[in-house]
DNA sequence: CCCTCAAACTAGCGGTGTAAGTTTTAGTCC
DNA sequence: GGACTAAAACTTACACCGCTAGTTTGAGGG
């Protein structure tokens, strides 16, 4: 087939299809030939649109990051903004857990990831945090969110009572975790995030100054 | 070569060599043939000792997890134990960042990972936390530690001032992060961990009961 | 109208995980 | 001690991988 009248591929279509395949079958199952087949095309044709497979993965990762809402920092108290952002970030990653191992290695040169880092850091500095502290806070929250999306804690346990009963006296109920994946992961995230923010507020008062009163909001979750 | 008088391979030697290769060149660069070559052997010989490549990676991951010290839960207050354990855990992972993406997907059936989960969960329940809460706390700390080891925050930024200056007004100094990797990552971890523990202590007092006074310890770091 | 570029193609290279079968040694049982 | 079995190396081979090179032909601009 020579060049077709209507282009068969676009970058957007490649990225969307790649994300769907990764969601369905995992990161390791994405090969250029399989991706191309899903697009009705031969493998090497992808290289007319992306330089390498990694470039495709970068675009996929950035498309996920782009769905995170960072607008809170422009209009909310830093504590409320951090909370909303963290939940939005987590939601974006948890919707595509299979890309998290790739995405979590850092923003690299991906525009959406850099824009997010920019918004968070800028918001914290504007709120009075010293620059070094703002960096630390952004990093700490990224650690927590990425970790929570990476290895769904509950999914990591096997549905096999025998395995745990024998050697791990406190894990006799662990096999039931796999069945409550969502509530366990969300509960752990909510608890950890609230604890983190609570501790950061105390640190703020100790090292920066008094906190503005915060209009009450529903507890995160 | 037929069966040699002295076995050339042992599981331990395979695991140690695999870890060294992963540390040096990354997870993706570990192939069975390269690993075998480093051991002075042909590729398929590995399959006399491990069923699949994944089984080798499991053993590598568990050998890293095995270096985490979980003994604190048996002899320290839960807050102190959590802090020491988290640092030990982080140290173990940060020493081998390239295996973290594999390891962070959950304990699976790896004995050292399960023993660690058992110790943490048991220690928290013994300290008075309700079982569901203990699960959440263990998960939250695992999120934080795994996230911190997975993507060194600082390493994720590129040493290229041009990249940031143009479009990200608050990241004009981001290119310098790559040079301060260790201090940024450790500072973020220390801040986040202390904040988390501070928040958990407050949660304990609110929902479980008064905290025993804690002998003063040096701040984490 | 022609020229160049774009976007598909085919063919193929070196590398991957691993299955299958071979060879020789080590160790066990009568 | 001889026969048998299991172990641990080997070679060969398959299907797949990322990617390069070169080819074809339609699209769009001078």
């Amino acid at each position: 087939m020579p060049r077709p009248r209507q282009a068969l591929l676009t970058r957007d279509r490649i990225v969307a299809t790649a994300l769907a395949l990764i969601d369905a079958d995992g990161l390791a199952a994405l090969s250029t030939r399989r991706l191309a087949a899903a697009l009705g095309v031969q493998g090497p044709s992808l290289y007319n649109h992306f330089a390498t497979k990694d470039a495709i993965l970068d675009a996929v990762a950035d498309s996920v990051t782009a769905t995170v809402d960072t607008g809170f920092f422009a209009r909310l108290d830093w504590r409320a903004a951090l909370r909303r952002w963290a939940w939005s970030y987590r939601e974006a990653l948890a919707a595509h857990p299979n890309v998290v191992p790739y995405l979590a290695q850092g923003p690299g040169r991906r525009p959406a990831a850099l824009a997010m880092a920019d918004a968070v850091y800028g918001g914290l500095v504007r709120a009075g945090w010293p620059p070094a502290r703002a960096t630390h806070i952004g990093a700490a929250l990224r650690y927590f969110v990425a970790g929570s999306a990476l290895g769904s804690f509950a999914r990591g346990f096997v549905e096999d009572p025998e395995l745990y009963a024998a050697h791990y006296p406190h894990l006799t109920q662990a096999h039931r975790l796999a069945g409550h994946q969502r509530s366990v992961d969300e509960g752990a995230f909510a608890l950890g995030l609230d604890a983190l923010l609570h501790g950061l507020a105390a640190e703020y008062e100790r090292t920066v100054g008094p906190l503005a009163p915060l209009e009450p909001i529903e507890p995160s979750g």
Side-chain angles (χ1 to χ4, degrees), chain A:
Chain A
M1 185 195 302
R3 174 176 188 170
R5 288 138 206 283
Q6 173 74 25
L8 302 180
L9 299 177
T10 63
R11 287 176 64 98
D12 283 351
R13 224 163 75 74
I14 293 172
V15 168
T17 306
L19 179 56
L21 284 181
I22 291 171
D23 284 345
D25 303 323
L27 197 57
L30 185 80
S31 77
T32 56
R33 287 182 239 257
R34 270 171 41 90
L35 172 56
L39 289 159
V41 124
Q42 298 296 322
S45 298
L46 299 172
Y47 291 91
N48 289 313
H49 301 266
F50 287 94
T52 64
K53 184 190 179 185
D54 254 29
I56 299 176
L57 290 176
D58 265 348
V60 169
D62 220 38
S63 81
V64 171
T65 308
T67 69
V68 179
D69 190 343
T70 59
F72 308 117
F73 290 95
R75 56 180 188 275
L76 293 178
D77 174 271
W78 68 269
R79 287 169 290 170
L82 272 185
R83 184 196 309 277
R84 303 285 194 93
W85 164 64
W87 274 105
S88 171
Y89 192 7
R90 186 196 120 90
E91 194 178 338
L93 300 199
H96 307 283
N98 292 337
V99 311
V100 175
Y102 188 87
L103 183 150
Q105 311 204 168
R109 320 181 96 95
R110 285 176 276 128
L114 289 167
M116 183 170 83
D118 191 64
V120 174
Y121 179 78
L124 291 170
V125 169
R126 202 163 44 243
W129 283 101
R133 240 31 189 159
T135 301
H136 290 165
I137 294 171
L141 274 142
R142 206 191 58 116
Y143 295 162
F144 184 65
V145 172
S148 81
L150 173 61
S152 151
F153 185 78
R155 197 169 33 144
F157 287 85
V158 181
E159 238 161 328
D160 172 7
E162 309 282 334
L163 173 62
Y164 306 107
H167 296 294
Y168 310 103
H170 304 110
L171 299 184
T172 54
Q173 302 302 308
H175 62 98
R176 306 198 316 168
L177 283 174
H180 300 72
Q181 190 172 317
R182 238 182 62 131
S183 80
V184 170
D185 288 331
E186 286 194 4
F189 185 78
L191 173 70
L193 178 59
D194 286 349
L196 252 171
L197 294 176
H198 186 105
L200 289 176
E203 170 79 4
Y204 189 96
E205 292 203 300
R206 189 163 60 245
T207 63
V208 181
L211 281 165
L214 188 58
E215 66 267 30
I217 59 171
E218 72 284 10
S220 74

